[in-house]
Amino acid sequence: MSLLLGVDIGTSSSKGVLTTPDGEVVATAVREHAVSRPHPGWAEHDARDVWWEGFATVTRELLPRAGGTPISGVGVSGIGPCALPATAAGEPLRPAILYGVDTRSVAEIEELTARYGAEAIIERGGSPLTTQAVGPKLAWLRRHEPDVWRRTRRLFMAGSYLVHELTGNYVLDHHSASQCSPLYDSREHDWIGDWAEEIAPGLRLPPLAWPGEVAGTVTEAAAARTGLRAGVPVTAGTIDAWAEAVSVGVTEPGDVMVMYGTTMFLIEVLAERRTWPGLWGTVGVTPGTYDLAAGMATSGAVTDWLRALTGAAYEELIEEARAAGHGAGGLVMLPYFAGERTPLFDPDARGLVLGLTLHHGRGHLYRAALEGTAFGVRHNLEAMRSAGGTARRLVAVGGGTKGGLWTQIVSDVLGREQVMPTVTIGACYGDALLAARAVGLADGEGWNPAASTVEPDPAAGEIYDALYAVYRDLYPATRDAAHTLAALSHEPG
């Protein structure tokens, strides 16, 4: 007998799991942490306290629950793409700049896009430059923190920093590298030397590996810090959403993960490279695969805002939303409460509710929020189809799947069934599977079978088709007004 350890560093918590080689969950652990927002548009993590201490804390909690069974492999993942500058010895020089929620590098995005050309950037790397891209964040560091940049020799993300702390090795997985736009060539599976030297001179970009490859073994120092046995293999790891896709079997071309959380995230696996200006095109988790990815800026964040605003419990709001019926009593919401990512890439988009009357209550608003995010999923899947995706199978994951109303609304809006997997604990479960594969204990077959499916209600289709047309018309009709209001909101006071 042996066990696998998987640990993921999320935006607001670190999660770990112990599993058997066939996927049985033995124990789980969670450590909460916070995002630092020192200035408007900034989002940061302290790598030592949040990432490394998060890993060590959940690992020390899990190991006593292994019952003496040895750990045969460790898999890691984390939020990304992030930019953590470090010295040649791997010491962090400042807090890590987080993924697309950190919007400080807008000026650098515009400059680099003008410098290299939008089409050339997508052609070489697969994705347009957005707040998700690492290259502009590095350019921002050079410009605004020159003292930090002068000492910067290494670049880490959450997963690769854990690998370094555990093994002493400097490595980044190909998938994470493919989100370092415009530094990585997704056709050649290698760094773009000329652009990298111009954007990040002096930075030694990490050697590359695939997420499921062994990147090294636990050192004596890391063993003392975490309780792990020295010599245990550690995978190269990857970005959390992609590890979560692995955890629920989204690994074959045409598979799509629909992740219900604070933000909605979608990943479609492809057999060949595809690009689209309104989507992220990336390298897949396994060699020979590619992905199209989409992400909304808010989804569960809007429902949480409504819950806080009304003071009601989630259970009350869900029941009232269920009673409101298809169409929320004639309301349509644009859920762009923090701008919008794909397929609009508009940080100045704003939320909107159309159709309000004195007869509407909080249940109608809550349902409109759920339906608005469902329309956003449909919009993104249409963009994926335009890029050449097939979306033959949809798999629902994430905390928002609980209760059933949200997933049912999405299936009704799409007119598509969604598979509900047996285990939905997140990316750490996929990390454990990647570790099991890396050390030859499992191939993933039967790891996480489907538990149920969500079937669309045919009676809802006609209503939602009409409302979706309104949804699609609203953004272009109100974009200029939204941008005017966004500009006002950015002014001091």
Side-chain angles (χ1 to χ4, degrees):
M1 282 292 293
S2 61
L3 297 176
L4 292 314
L5 170 67
V7 178
D8 173 66
I9 307 299
T11 303
S12 56
S13 67
S14 301
K15 297 179 181 179
V17 64
L18 289 176
T19 76
T20 63
D22 61 1
E24 178 186 349
V25 175
V26 174
T28 61
V30 178
R31 183 209 190 218
E32 304 292 335
H33 54 244
V35 174
S36 173
R37 302 183 185 276
H39 302 285
W42 291 29
E44 302 181 341
H45 272 169
D46 183 294
R48 294 187 189 89
D49 178 62
V50 174
W51 294 354
W52 180 227
E53 184 59 30
F55 178 93
T57 299
V58 299
T59 300
R60 290 194 304 266
E61 180 179 338
L62 286 170
L63 291 180
R65 297 157 70 183
T69 305
I71 307 301
S72 294
V74 177
V76 296
S77 64
I79 52 173
C82 302
L84 173 66
T87 66
E91 289 296 319
L93 290 167
R94 71 174 319 282
I97 301 173
L98 300 192
Y99 55 102
V101 295
D102 186 295
T103 60
R104 74 183 73 187
S105 60
V106 171
E108 288 74 20
I109 290 168
E110 294 175 353
E111 291 169 8
L112 292 177
T113 300
R115 170 74 177 87
Y116 300 119
E119 291 185 5
I121 289 169
I122 294 173
E123 174 59 27
R124 295 188 79 174
S127 301
L129 293 187
T130 69
T131 59
Q132 193 83 346
V134 168
K137 298 179 192 295
L138 297 179
W140 184 94
L141 275 173
R142 282 185 62 207
R143 171 175 290 168
H144 294 280
E145 298 183 1
D147 291 340
V148 168
W149 186 257
R150 273 193 291 272
R151 294 181 289 157
T152 297
R153 294 296 179 270
R154 292 188 173 188
L155 168 69
F156 291 108
M157 294 193 195
S160 65
Y161 184 70
L162 295 183
V163 170
H164 178 266
E165 290 295 314
L166 286 166
T167 72
N169 292 337
Y170 181 44
V171 64
L172 185 67
D173 69 286
H174 280 281
H175 168 72
S176 298
S178 73
Q179 295 208 46
C180 290
S181 304
L183 306 179
Y184 179 91
D185 190 318
S186 60
R187 291 188 189 277
E188 300 297 327
H189 296 93
D190 201 358
W191 297 113
I192 301 174
D194 53 344
W195 288 3
E197 181 57 32
E198 186 172 350
I199 295 168
L203 175 65
R204 182 197 165 208
L205 290 168
L208 299 167
W210 291 98
E213 290 182 337
V214 173
T217 59
V218 175
T219 64
E220 293 288 351
R225 185 74 184 84
T226 64
L228 288 164
R229 175 176 52 86
V232 175
V234 180
T235 66
T238 194
I239 290 175
D240 53 2
W242 275 260
E244 184 152 12
V246 169
S247 81
V248 295
V250 174
T251 56
E252 297 297 322
D255 288 349
V256 179
M257 180 184 74
V258 184
M259 186 167 68
Y260 295 75
T262 303
T263 65
M264 188 76 79
F265 203 82
L266 298 91
I267 298 171
E268 178 167 2
V269 181
L270 307 171
E272 58 185 21
R273 184 179 183 270
R274 301 279 186 177
T275 62
W276 194 255
L279 299 168
W280 297 300
T282 74
V283 168
V285 171
T286 56
T289 63
Y290 294 88
D291 297 316
L292 287 171
M296 299 172 64
T298 59
S299 51
V302 179
T303 60
D304 189 54
W305 172 76
L306 280 168
R307 180 199 57 77
L309 199 65
T310 61
Y314 275 120
E315 294 77 12
E316 294 177 283
L317 291 169
I318 289 171
E319 287 309 307
E320 291 175 15
R322 199 184 304 275
H326 305 313
L331 298 183
V332 173
M333 178 183 289
L334 293 185
Y336 308 152
F337 283 54
E340 187 54 302
R341 295 195 287 174
T342 66
L344 303 179
F345 290 131
D346 184 356
D348 288 332
R350 289 294 179 264
L352 182 150
V353 183
L354 182 67
L356 281 168
T357 72
L358 295 176
H359 297 290
H360 288 111
R362 64 189 186 186
H364 295 96
L365 283 170
Y366 197 84
R367 176 138 194 155
L370 297 179
E371 291 177 348
T373 60
F375 295 144
V377 171
R378 181 167 168 175
H379 192 186
N380 277 294
L381 285 175
E382 288 178 355
M384 288 178 163
R385 192 176 305 115
S386 296
T390 60
R392 65 174 181 84
R393 187 173 75 106
L394 306 182
V395 181
V397 301
T401 61
K402 295 177 175 63
L405 178 60
W406 198 1
T407 51
Q408 185 62 59
I409 288 172
V410 170
S411 277
D412 291 346
V413 167
L414 300 178
R416 295 283 306 276
E417 75 172 26
Q418 295 176 85
V419 175
M420 302 290 291
T422 301
V423 180
T424 59
I425 60 175
C428 60
Y429 191 57
D431 298 330
L433 174 54
L434 288 171
R437 289 176 176 169
V439 299
L441 288 177
D443 59 10
E445 291 297 324
W447 176 274
N448 190 6
S452 62
T453 59
V454 181
E455 300 288 345
D457 178 0
E462 187 173 343
I463 296 171
Y464 283 135
D465 285 347
L467 292 175
Y468 179 64
V470 175
Y471 173 90
R472 290 296 303 274
D473 287 341
L474 275 178
Y475 171 71
T478 61
R479 177 175 50 213
D480 290 346
H483 287 183
T484 298
L485 296 176
L488 291 173
S489 70
H490 293 162
E491 293 179 359

